[in-house]
Structure formats: C-alpha cells, structure tokens
Amino acid sequence: MTPSRRVRAERRQTMTIVYAVMVSILILVLIQYLLLMIALEDYLSGKRSVLIGTAAASAVCFAVSCRLIGYLAARRAPGP
C-alpha cells in the first residue's frame, strides 16, 4: 500500500469514528430532552416520584456524552 493510500484510509477510518460519536451524542441529547419533558410533565401534574429516576438517567446520558467527547480528544492528541 502506498503512503498516500494509507493516509486516505486512516482519514476515512477516523472520520467514520467521528461520525459515529456525533450520532451517538445526538441520540443521547434527544434522550435527555425526552427525559426533561417527562420530568416536567410529572412535576407540573403534582407527581414527584419520577424526578429522581429521570435526573439519574439524564446524569448517565451526560456522563456517556462526556466520555465519548473525551475519547475523541484522546484520539486526536499527539502521543509522547
């Protein structure tokens, strides 16, 4: 394999990973939005039993999103 083909193949692989992470984060943000809507609806209706569960699920979504962004940042950072 020539060096230029190798570079193009590595770029393609990197962009595939970036796109997969972007789609995953988009899905997680949509899930967080739905959790917010569920929490607000239950809060305004007077029920407060779901608030802890939705807050915990939203925190998990946030943590996974941060982990995915950290994964991309670590891949991009040059090694020693």
Side-chain angles (χ1 to χ4, degrees), residues 8-78:
R8 277 187 273 158
E10 288 174 4
R11 282 184 188 161
R12 248 183 299 184
Q13 183 181 13
T14 301
M15 288 310 296
T16 301
I17 292 170
V18 168
Y19 290 146
V21 168
M22 286 172 43
V23 168
S24 299
I25 290 174
L26 177 67
I27 290 170
L28 287 169
V29 167
L30 291 174
I31 290 171
Q32 280 188 303
Y33 179 74
L34 291 173
L35 288 169
L36 176 66
M37 292 298 109
I38 291 169
L40 284 175
E41 185 177 328
D42 283 346
Y43 179 76
L44 292 175
S45 69
K47 298 182 223 172
R48 299 214 167 111
S49 60
V50 181
L51 290 177
I52 300 293
T54 54
S58 181
V60 168
C61 289
F62 178 73
V64 171
S65 295
C66 288
R67 180 73 178 152
L68 287 170
I69 292 170
Y71 171 75
L72 280 183
R75 280 186 56 90
R76 188 169 169 92

